[in-house]
Amino acid sequence: MMTASPSSPTTLPLASPIEPFSPEPLRWVAEDGRPVRDLPARYTPELLRELHREMVRAREFDRKLVTLLRQGRTTFYAQSSGMEATQVGLARSIRVGHDWVWPYYRDHTLGLAMGVPMIDLISQCLGTNSDLCKGRQMPHHFGSASKNFVSISSSIASQVPPAAGNAMAQKYLGTDEITLCTFGDGATSEGDWHAGLNMAGAAKAPALFVCENNQWAISTNLAAQTASPNIHIKAKAYGMPGFYVDGNDIVAVMEVCGYAAEWVRAGNGPALVECLTYRVGSHSNADADAEKNYRTRDEVNSWLARDPIARVEGLLAHLGHPVDAEERADLISAVHRAVDADVLKAEATGQPDWRIMFEDVYADTPPHLREQAAFVRAEMEGQK
Amino acid sequence: MTATQERPTGAGETRILTLIQAVTEAMREELARDERVVVFGEDVGARGGVFLATAGLQAEFGPRRVFDTPLSEASVVGAAVGMAVRGLRPIAEIQFADYMGPGFDQIISQAAKIRYRSGGQFTAPMIIRTPSGGGVKGGHHHSQSPESYFTHTPGLKVVMPSTPYDAKGLLKAAIRGEDPVIYFEPKRLYRAAKGEVPSHDYTVKIGEGAIRREGTDLTLVGYGGVMPDAERAAAALAAEGVSVEVIDLRSLVPWDRELVLSSVQKTGRAVLVSEAPRISNFMGEVAYVIQEQAFDSLLAPVGQVAGFDTPYPYVQDKVYLPGPNRITAACVKALNY
Ligand SMILES: Cc1ncc(C[n+]2csc(CCOP(=O)(O)OP(=O)(O)O)c2C)c(N)n1
């Protein structure tokens, strides 16, 4: 039923302005905010302001979460600062709540931009009773069934074969949904990554694979990760188009990912997009010494100069609608207040008690787990 | 049998090291001693590993001997097998034991079997070092204790030290041995376990346990991250007048049956402690051997304290781990049987 003819070509509408396998990342907007291609009409100042707000919100969320870490109220966080255009742009490229997402652990900006309530993210990071994932997984590994945003797994690339299967089910069920599967550049070295792309390709499943290439996998850079010149070229091996995008240009991300998503949705099979971006912060709080250990300040500075938020601000200014400083400051303090309020709300729900540990291991609790739970209950009562 | 052998008397200088420093030192000395030794894995080079176990080694020995790999455990383990077959002594790091999954097939299908399937023509003497266990608020992808999967696979040696002395001696023994060794490092003891480590060269034989505390009323057997809590429980019981013998297995495959059996024959009671989930826990094997070989000495059923059969939880990390109170309670139960 899910057979693809091996000789069937990877067809792209010829009229498309979006070329696969471009040697340089596609971009619409230059670093200073000037368009370098015709800006499609939908990028009105209103839309651009909205995108700007979402990116600022994500950046400030990062800042606040780092503060929570310092205060010892959570124990792990992996910032996505610098990657806002990629993740906010991705959220705008799919049909949120209709399509399915198999994200990776640096995707909270994607989640926020998809409309996962901030308190859900915060609750997960704090492991409170308001955590939809019930305090099971380490901080920063949320999931949201209402958005078809599948709970994040730490194990790199382990989401890729399931994403292929999710897409195969969508095809089998005859839906017009697609599956978005994201990962870092490091993930593309894992066997699971290759297995997942190969499977989706063979099944012509509607999967959109997106590499958020921030160029580092902890301390391993792209050149040490693979001898390929880039990631998207690997799509050739799996019979799908590979697109190369400037991931700090939100217009480019939305144009290419939006196009690829609809191409996938049209039944052409999977596609791979590589968004070239940079994580300007450390890998996680366990790695606060990045600049000392493995990368240079100069490199970080050169990417700070390509900041995705500044680029949208530049574009708005170019269009005659500059973001005014006061408005920006208000926006930032509003995000900080919102995070503070949600933290208090989440903390007020308390920490889940020991019973939660024995739930959801299976659909119904087998005898040995009931015994183990009874053992802990007796222990707890004895301690009172 | 071994607690006395392991510290040669009058053997000169010692220093106080943490467990992780002892691991680093073992690798440094073996890199210096044997050209065939290479160290590699994800982020082990410039960064020195996520826990800094390999910190400074690349600077000292260069990127030919100490190097980063692509993010692929299958490649890391599989490449180690190939290097070992070709005559190197690879020490491969898996960043967290939880991520042995992607390398699992290479461990059980290649590393563990090559000697047997080739009639001994080809062998893979190699080490897979990996931080394991809980207590660091890591949730289930950074806290698991997967040792039983590997003890269930013939062809692999499995060790887990709990002291800096053993960490160094066992790692050196593994590097000088002829078999693939899975070397689990209890990550919560990396910096918490401090102890004397001799400056001179020594090894700790794989397969020998150690008596941490002598006793006559009950034998408490553990390994890895639970050992400090086992010793705390024994100390608490000593204050109540109960004499507990504490054994650190140190090696799971092979394990020191004689040491455990002779202790149980003396005390008549055994409580086995590990933090891995209970079902198919390695300690089930220890319990079986005790009942088979020392049944007549037993005054009480063999007690077991283990992790629960749930994925490792984040928030309930403390409830999950068998702390000193739970261990003490299991001992009291055996004593009152
Ligand atoms: C299977 C597996 N191996 C190792 C790790 C440890 N680890 C966590 S993040 C990371 C780097 C991932 O880099 P990349 O995929 O590029 O994503 P990025 O963090 O750069 O966004 C590693 C090695 C893991 N989580 N899972």
Side-chain angles (χ1 to χ4, degrees):
Chain A
M1 135 213 73
M2 275 178 269
T3 48
S5 140
S7 60
S8 61
T10 302
T11 49
L12 285 170
L14 288 176
S16 163
I18 298 173
E19 16 152 358
F21 303 113
S22 62
E24 293 298 324
L26 298 171
R27 53 158 60 178
W28 266 251
V29 181
E31 264 118 37
D32 62 4
R34 277 169 200 284
V36 293
R37 288 196 186 208
D38 287 343
L39 205 61
R42 68 169 166 144
Y43 297 96
T44 58
E46 290 67 43
L47 174 61
L48 291 170
R49 273 179 189 283
E50 219 177 281
L51 297 172
H52 176 256
R53 266 201 303 279
E54 279 175 29
M55 290 162 76
V56 170
R57 179 164 171 248
R59 171 114 6 132
E60 297 308 316
F61 184 83
D62 262 14
R63 288 224 167 96
K64 290 295 285 182
L65 266 284
V66 171
T67 308
L68 284 187
L69 269 171
R70 294 212 182 99
Q71 295 168 340
R73 287 154 100 173
T74 182
T75 57
F76 180 83
Y77 190 68
Q79 296 176 59
S80 64
S81 286
M83 299 166 65
E84 292 89 350
T86 292
Q87 294 188 17
V88 172
L90 268 177
R92 295 276 175 159
S93 304
I94 58 166
R95 300 189 197 166
V96 172
H98 179 75
D99 295 332
W100 281 65
V101 183
W102 288 79
Y104 87 118
Y105 57 80
R106 205 180 290 284
D107 272 338
H108 53 279
T109 294
L110 173 60
L112 278 174
M114 283 174 58
V116 175
M118 196 150 78
I119 187 148
D120 291 354
L121 273 106
I122 288 171
S123 298
Q124 200 283 325
C125 285
L126 299 177
T128 50
N129 272 314
S130 50
D131 172 11
L132 295 173
C133 305
K134 303 186 192 169
R136 268 32 172 303
Q137 175 60 307
M138 69 191 287
H140 207 263
H141 286 67
F142 62 105
S144 171
S146 68
K147 302 285 180 221
N148 300 336
F149 188 100
V150 180
S151 295
I152 293 166
S153 153
S154 308
S155 193
I156 305 276
S158 63
Q159 77 277 24
V160 182
N166 194 121
M168 288 161 76
Q170 290 168 326
K171 181 173 172 177
Y172 177 95
L173 296 170
T175 70
D176 71 341
E177 304 158 11
I178 68 162
T179 300
L180 168 64
C181 176
T182 60
F183 39 81
D185 43 306
T188 67
S189 295
E190 289 281 11
D192 274 355
W193 187 82
H194 297 271
L197 265 78
N198 186 58
M199 180 87 158
K204 282 211 174 272
L208 177 60
F209 297 106
V210 176
C211 179
E212 300 181 26
N213 179 0
N214 62 23
Q215 305 179 60
W216 287 93
I218 308 188
S219 70
T220 307
N221 64 21
L222 194 61
Q225 194 69 246
T226 174
S228 294
N230 51 51
I231 300 299
H232 71 279
I233 198 174
K234 294 174 193 261
K236 283 201 169 143
Y238 302 112
M240 62 182 83
F243 297 96
Y244 199 17
V245 189
D246 182 330
N248 284 14
D249 172 358
I250 192 163
V251 174
V253 174
M254 284 170 62
E255 284 305 292
V256 178
C257 292
Y259 170 77
E262 292 316 311
W263 185 84
V264 164
R265 198 184 309 280
N268 293 303
L272 171 66
V273 182
E274 172 181 8
C275 297
L276 184 67
T277 180
Y278 196 79
R279 70 160 157 82
V280 293
S282 56
H283 167 74
S284 73
N285 55 303
D287 169 44
D289 42 7
E291 267 77 75
K292 215 170 63 210
N293 279 329
Y294 57 82
R295 66 185 196 185
T296 64
R297 236 309 109 187
D298 281 354
E299 180 187 296
V300 178
N301 286 340
S302 81
W303 280 92
L304 283 171
R306 288 178 245 186
D307 185 79
I309 296 181
R311 201 177 303 189
V312 175
E313 288 175 358
L315 178 59
L316 277 161
H318 176 81
L319 297 175
H321 297 269
V323 178
D324 107 359
E326 205 175 314
E327 193 187 328
R328 198 170 188 285
D330 286 348
L331 173 56
I332 290 174
S333 53
V335 179
H336 290 193
R337 279 197 308 275
V339 174
D340 288 340
D342 281 353
V343 167
L344 294 179
K345 255 191 259 170
E347 283 178 343
T349 66
Q351 285 237 317
D353 80 2
W354 60 270
R355 283 176 194 82
I356 214 91
M357 192 162 85
F358 296 97
E359 295 169 7
D360 297 319
V361 184
Y362 303 98
D364 43 30
T365 306
H368 70 277
L369 281 180
R370 268 185 261 133
E371 275 162 29
Q372 292 177 8
F375 170 83
V376 175
R377 186 180 314 115
E379 218 179 42
M380 295 290 166
E381 280 162 6
Q383 279 167 20
K384 264 180 223 151
Chain B
M1 76 191 257
T2 54
T4 44
Q5 280 173 13
E6 75 191 15
R7 282 183 183 89
T9 43
E13 266 177 70
T14 64
R15 294 124 321 130
I16 302 289
L17 297 184
T18 61
L19 193 148
I20 194 162
Q21 284 171 333
V23 168
T24 311
E25 214 177 78
M27 286 191 278
R28 179 180 296 116
E29 289 177 15
E30 293 302 294
L31 278 159
R33 190 186 61 81
D34 184 348
E35 266 290 318
R36 298 172 305 164
V37 174
V38 289
V39 172
F40 57 92
E42 294 156 15
D43 302 295
V44 304
R47 166 123 172 76
V50 290
F51 290 99
L52 305 180
T54 55
L57 297 183
Q58 188 177 65
E60 195 173 336
F61 296 96
R64 192 176 142 259
R65 309 274 316 275
V66 181
F67 53 93
D68 286 336
T69 64
L71 205 178
S72 167
E73 291 73 16
S75 311
V76 171
V77 177
V81 173
M83 290 178 201
V85 167
R86 186 58 190 84
L88 298 187
R89 291 281 158 147
I91 306 175
E93 177 176 299
I94 300 286
Q95 215 155 61
F96 285 86
D98 311 69
Y99 303 133
M100 293 174 92
F104 193 70
D105 183 49
Q106 286 299 322
I107 300 173
I108 65 163
S109 302
Q110 291 291 345
K113 308 273 196 308
I114 189 128
R115 177 189 292 276
Y116 196 75
R117 79 162 185 260
S118 70
Q121 298 180 90
F122 302 103
T123 62
M126 56 185 269
I127 291 89
I128 300 173
R129 292 183 34 246
T130 190
S132 78
V136 297
K137 275 270 188 183
H140 49 261
H141 281 141
H142 295 88
S143 302
Q144 293 171 92
S145 297
E147 56 272 15
S148 300
Y149 293 106
F150 302 100
T151 61
H152 195 65
T153 302
L156 302 173
K157 289 188 173 175
V158 179
V159 303
M160 190 172 332
S162 75
T163 66
Y165 179 92
D166 288 348
K168 185 171 175 186
L170 282 168
L171 186 50
K172 284 185 161 232
I175 295 166
R176 298 177 195 184
E178 296 301 328
D179 288 303
V181 177
I182 315 288
Y183 181 92
F184 288 104
E185 299 168 5
K187 66 172 96 67
R188 85 181 118 121
L189 301 186
Y190 264 156
R191 289 176 178 83
K194 292 197 183 79
E196 285 195 4
V197 177
S199 307
H200 67 82
D201 189 41
Y202 70 97
T203 59
V204 170
K205 193 173 171 211
I206 294 175
E208 288 186 348
I211 294 176
R212 297 294 178 213
R213 177 188 187 108
E214 300 209 354
T216 50
D217 298 331
L218 182 144
T219 302
L220 192 53
V221 185
Y223 60 85
V226 301
M227 287 313 301
D229 285 342
E231 292 188 53
R232 257 171 233 134
L237 286 161
E240 309 278 315
V242 180
S243 166
V244 174
E245 181 142 297
V246 180
I247 292 179
D248 183 346
L249 282 182
R250 307 196 289 195
S251 296
L252 307 188
V253 179
W255 65 282
D256 200 337
R257 291 171 166 229
E258 285 160 52
L259 184 70
V260 171
L261 288 172
S262 61
S263 176
V264 174
Q265 274 149 2
K266 176 175 68 174
T267 63
R269 296 179 180 88
V271 170
L272 314 178
V273 190
S274 86
E275 64 181 272
R278 178 182 295 258
I279 295 179
S280 300
N281 186 306
F282 176 72
M283 285 304 196
E285 168 66 9
V286 178
Y288 176 79
V289 171
I290 292 173
Q291 74 79 29
E292 184 188 55
Q293 313 262 334
F295 189 75
D296 293 341
S297 315
L298 284 177
L299 303 169
V302 176
Q304 198 181 347
V305 186
F308 297 115
D309 291 303
T310 75
Y312 197 99
Y314 171 70
V315 173
Q316 301 303 342
D317 178 274
K318 286 247 156 56
V319 183
Y320 185 88
L321 284 177
N325 293 344
R326 199 170 286 160
I327 298 170
T328 307
C331 294
V332 168
K333 193 173 162 196
L335 289 159
N336 292 340
Y337 180 75

